[in-house]
Amino acid sequence: KGKTKMLRNNDQMKLSLSPYKGLYDIIVPKENLLRKIKENIDFSFINPMLRKQYCEDFGRPAKEPEMMFKLMFLKKLYDLSDERLICSAQTDMAYKYFLDLEPEDEMIDPSLLTKFRKTRITEDILEEMLRETIKQAIEKGLIKSTSILVDSTHTNANARPRTVTQVLRELSKQLRREIYREMVELSEKFPDKPGETAELAEEIEYTYRLLESVGPEILHSERPALIERYERIKELLDSGRIREIRSKNDEDARFGHKKVNSIFFGYKSHLAMTEERIITGIEVTHGGAPDCNQLPTLLKKSQANGVQVKEVIGDMAYVSEDNLDICEENGVTLFAKTNPAVAAAAAAPLDEGFCFNKDVGLLQCPVGELAMRVSKKTAENGNIYLNYFFSKVKCQKCPLFEQCRMGKSKTGCYNITQPNEKNRARLEFEASEEFRERLDIRHRIEEKNGEMKLAHGLGKADSMGLTAMRLQTYFTAFAVNVKRILKLMEPNPT
């Protein structure tokens, strides 16, 4: 259904000569940002890139893909809502000039932007879009370094977090409401609802009974929406995934930690960037994903996008035995300071689901809870012993209590042994002058993160879900890359 629009050929897309076209020369000055972008950035890659998303032979003529893409670019460049974007594009001559429209042309309905995002933009296209900006920067001779800087930035979800019990209660309420609307006779089979103070186990039991009482009739009905809602709730219960969800509207968002006493609910955008501040690799995850695991992907994507990488510069989150091995295999030097906790993990692999949170320097359990404190002891043989203490009260209430190491530990303590000699060579390298000098440029990617959040709206998700968050991050990166290319083309760029 997403490909029924017909993509017009070049002859069909030619614009008639407008008597008002001369207005652009008068109204849009040479120093205007959009004029500079139009004159220096080649957008001709868009139509061939999107051609596979349209039908070649039949259907109503599609809106020009390049124009739709440019609208998405403008949306992130100026951090606008769909409605505000279309309103501005209707009256702002610089917008219309950039969009290759005539001054008197009418703009599209804002709803077409939503359809374009959902039906035309795939993950492959996002990667190709980012690759194109890097390609143009390389062709212009703007990327000369062989280093990438890596870091992550968080984005708050466009939804309020709830407890697992609240989420499940809201889902069952939606199902009952749908049944009242579509198959009211089934409401007589509803089991008694648990009270407002019911625990998760009681809410799960009730929801299973609700599904069992109405399931056969729903599945044999001809109501796709009701069947889909029923099957969705059942899958969440049967798979255990319901325990991970903190919003019925945004099932992909998760809690993450910025500091020991500061958490956020949403997503992380993991970025790789050259010394010239051109973003070369992106990976988008939920908010609780550890940064350390993303380095191999960022390195691989940067290389695939045409960047020669000899150095990776990051913070202590990226030092692990696996990452050091991957860098060595690729002939890359990792400039990142070793966190004692991470070094300890390399010596003794963590249980599944446990990871180190670099922002707070503590161990994090599979459900995202942080250790309350850590004690450190050095033995006579040089070994370092680290003991991470978790809250026994929280552990006992945790849905993973029976399977988790903390549930089996009477002390609520996770013990790690770090052999001192294992990291001696690495620590000596980190003490060198070369290491300190290379690490000094890491602030550049932190500044880029700030630019993307403050100037282009990456601080909060535009929509809900990991797919929407990925689209937002890539288009934001495309916008800042275009801006940076223009800056690097100046006589004395900073």
Side-chain angles (χ1 to χ4, degrees), residues 166-182:
Q166 288 173 327
V167 171
L168 184 55
R169 190 172 293 156
E170 289 175 356
L171 289 173
S172 61
K173 182 178 180 180
Q174 282 184 333
L175 178 62
R176 292 195 306 269
R177 185 181 296 132
E178 191 81 15
I179 290 172
Y180 277 121
R181 185 163 50 245
E182 300 287 341

Side-chain angles (χ1 to χ4, degrees), residues 18-85:
S18 168
Y20 307 108
K21 203 155 189 173
L23 287 172
Y24 290 141
D25 295 330
I26 302 171
I27 296 175
V28 186
K30 291 183 178 180
E31 62 272 15
N32 180 272
L33 175 61
L34 293 182
R35 180 180 281 276
K36 288 182 178 180
I37 293 174
K38 183 176 174 64
E39 293 174 351
N40 293 282
I41 304 297
D42 183 9
F43 284 87
S44 64
F45 70 93
I46 297 171
N47 282 349
M49 179 181 72
L50 288 170
R51 185 166 293 277
K52 61 185 177 182
Q53 297 300 105
Y54 292 83
C55 177
E56 298 280 354
D57 304 317
F58 66 93
R60 289 174 294 137
K63 288 293 182 182
E64 172 67 37
E66 185 174 323
M67 185 193 74
M68 298 297 291
F69 184 95
K70 284 182 173 181
L71 282 169
M72 293 290 297
F73 167 77
L74 289 172
K75 175 180 172 67
K76 297 320 301 174
L77 183 66
Y78 295 114
D79 188 22
L80 302 172
S81 67
D82 289 355
E83 290 75 15
R84 183 59 185 167
L85 169 64

Side-chain angles (χ1 to χ4, degrees), residues 390-398:
F390 288 82
S391 168
K392 292 183 181 180
V393 175
K394 289 184 178 179
C395 284
Q396 289 173 354
K397 294 181 179 180
C398 178

Side-chain angles (χ1 to χ4, degrees), residues 131-403:
R131 187 178 301 117
E132 182 63 31
T133 62
I134 301 164
K135 175 185 174 183
Q136 293 192 33
I138 293 174
E139 290 175 347
K140 295 176 188 295
L142 303 178
I143 296 180
K144 300 178 176 67
S145 67
T146 56
S147 304
I148 58 171
L149 294 81
V150 292
D151 198 13
S152 71
T153 188
H154 74 276
T155 301
N156 292 314
N158 196 351
R160 294 178 60 186
R162 296 284 190 270
T163 66
V164 179
T165 304
Q166 288 173 327
V167 171
L168 184 55
R169 190 172 293 156
E170 289 175 356
L171 289 173
S172 61
K173 182 178 180 180
Q174 282 184 333
L175 178 62
R176 292 195 306 269
R177 185 181 296 132
E178 191 81 15
I179 290 172
Y180 277 121
R181 185 163 50 245
E182 300 287 341
M183 301 178 70
V184 67
E185 67 277 5
L186 289 184
S187 62
E188 298 178 359
K189 297 185 177 182
F190 289 170
D192 293 335
K193 292 185 295 184
E196 290 295 324
T197 59
E199 297 291 336
L200 177 59
E202 189 176 351
E203 198 68 41
I204 290 176
E205 180 185 356
Y206 162 75
T207 308
Y208 266 123
R209 285 191 284 115
L210 174 63
L211 296 178
E212 290 172 2
S213 65
V214 300
E217 286 85 352
I218 289 178
L219 293 175
H220 286 89
S221 70
E222 296 182 356
R223 293 174 172 82
L226 187 55
I227 294 173
E228 182 180 353
R229 190 177 299 280
Y230 166 87
E231 290 181 339
R232 173 174 170 244
I233 297 174
K234 192 172 190 308
E235 190 275 330
L236 290 176
L237 287 173
D238 291 345
S239 66
R241 188 164 173 260
I242 187 65
R243 298 179 183 274
E244 304 172 2
I245 297 173
R246 293 297 181 271
S247 169
K248 68 177 179 63
N249 296 320
D250 192 339
E251 297 182 5
D252 297 326
R254 298 288 184 274
F255 284 107
H257 293 272
K258 293 183 286 187
K259 297 179 182 178
V260 175
N261 296 319
S262 178
I263 63 173
F264 71 95
F265 179 68
Y267 298 91
K268 280 185 179 179
S269 295
H270 307 266
L271 307 175
M273 183 187 81
T274 67
E275 288 188 52
E276 294 85 3
R277 295 181 171 88
I278 297 290
I279 294 173
T280 60
I282 300 172
E283 184 69 10
V284 183
T285 66
H286 63 72
D291 295 359
C292 182
N293 297 349
Q294 315 310 322
L295 181 77
T297 301
L298 294 176
L299 174 59
K300 183 178 180 180
K301 287 186 175 183
S302 296
Q303 292 172 328
N305 287 337
V307 179
Q308 186 181 8
V309 183
K310 294 184 179 178
E311 297 177 347
V312 174
I313 302 169
D315 59 28
M316 64 178 60
Y318 297 97
V319 181
S320 71
E321 189 165 324
D322 287 343
N323 285 347
L324 289 170
D325 289 343
I326 289 169
C327 286
E328 185 176 354
E329 291 169 6
N330 285 270
V332 173
T333 302
L334 177 59
F335 288 87
K337 203 167 183 61
T338 300
N339 184 329
V342 175
L350 298 174
D351 287 2
E352 184 177 359
F354 283 85
C355 63
F356 284 98
N357 188 299
K358 59 99 177 179
D359 294 316
V360 298
L362 290 171
L363 193 65
Q364 181 175 307
C365 80
V367 297
E369 292 291 342
L370 293 174
M372 297 186 298
R373 61 185 178 89
V374 57
S375 66
K376 179 178 178 180
K377 180 180 179 181
T378 303
E380 294 181 1
N381 62 3
N383 284 353
I384 297 175
Y385 298 92
L386 300 172
N387 297 321
Y388 289 87
F389 294 90
F390 288 82
S391 168
K392 292 183 181 180
V393 175
K394 289 184 178 179
C395 284
Q396 289 173 354
K397 294 181 179 180
C398 178
L400 300 181
F401 181 74
E402 298 297 333
Q403 304 100 300

